[in-house]
Amino acid sequence: MTVTGGRHTIEVDEFLPHPAARVWEALINPTELAQWFMANDFRPKIGHDFTLDTARWGTTHCTVVAIEPERLLRYTWRNGPLDTVVTWKLVPEGSGTRLLLEHHGFDLGDPVQRRAFDGMNGGWRSLVLPGLARHLRRGEA
């Protein structure tokens, strides 16, 4: 966890034994994204507004703010009191990819945002990234 400007960041570092091009496709293809992450209307275009169906937590409204193919994807994440930013960084490493996830902008002084931070910190680590890894493995079979 880092703190910038009084806001806290969830940081997750995961090695995936797949080339960056394959990991990238899983991050930007809306059909694939729905299989391992959430139902969505994502398009890989800067300025595109999209939603993620976060089930019991409602709809998350997002806007793509940065894209560097096979290297970086960044979008805003707005749901209730949260107005945060999610960044996916892909770094080729041998025949695989180091995936660095940052979810920035949590005010831990706010009890609602603290609960969201704690829940999402665990969720990114124990559900989302393992789900991506499983999805990529299934694609190999």
Side-chain angles (χ1 to χ4, degrees):
M1 175 181 69
T2 60
V3 182
T4 306
R7 298 290 176 154
H8 291 73
T9 302
I10 297 167
E11 297 173 313
V12 184
D13 178 331
E14 182 85 16
F15 177 78
L16 299 166
H18 305 276
R22 179 66 194 103
V23 176
W24 180 253
E25 185 64 20
L27 291 175
I28 66 159
N29 179 307
T31 302
E32 285 197 54
L33 200 56
Q35 292 173 4
W36 65 268
F37 191 37
M38 295 179 206
N40 67 88
D41 57 347
F42 179 82
R43 281 190 341 192
K45 180 180 178 197
I46 292 177
H48 176 64
D49 294 323
F50 67 99
T51 58
L52 296 170
D53 178 359
T54 52
R56 66 181 182 152
W57 296 283
T59 301
T60 296
H61 300 273
C62 306
T63 301
V64 177
V65 295
I67 294 179
E68 295 176 31
E70 298 181 20
R71 299 177 61 87
L72 180 125
L73 173 63
R74 179 175 294 132
Y75 47 83
T76 61
W77 178 286
R78 295 177 309 281
N79 186 322
L82 292 182
D83 190 357
T84 55
V85 176
V86 172
T87 302
W88 303 88
K89 296 179 185 175
L90 290 75
V91 180
E93 187 174 303
S95 61
T97 305
R98 174 88 32 208
L99 184 61
L100 306 167
L101 167 76
E102 297 176 355
H103 192 164
H104 174 74
F106 295 90
D107 174 3
L108 299 188
D110 177 315
V112 172
Q113 289 195 37
R114 167 52 100 170
R115 282 192 302 279
F117 178 90
D118 291 342
M120 294 173 94
N121 189 29
W124 287 119
R125 293 171 196 285
S126 65
L127 298 172
V128 177
L129 289 176
L132 172 58
R134 281 189 304 278
H135 173 77
L136 292 168
R137 279 194 306 275
R138 280 193 301 269
E140 291 179 334

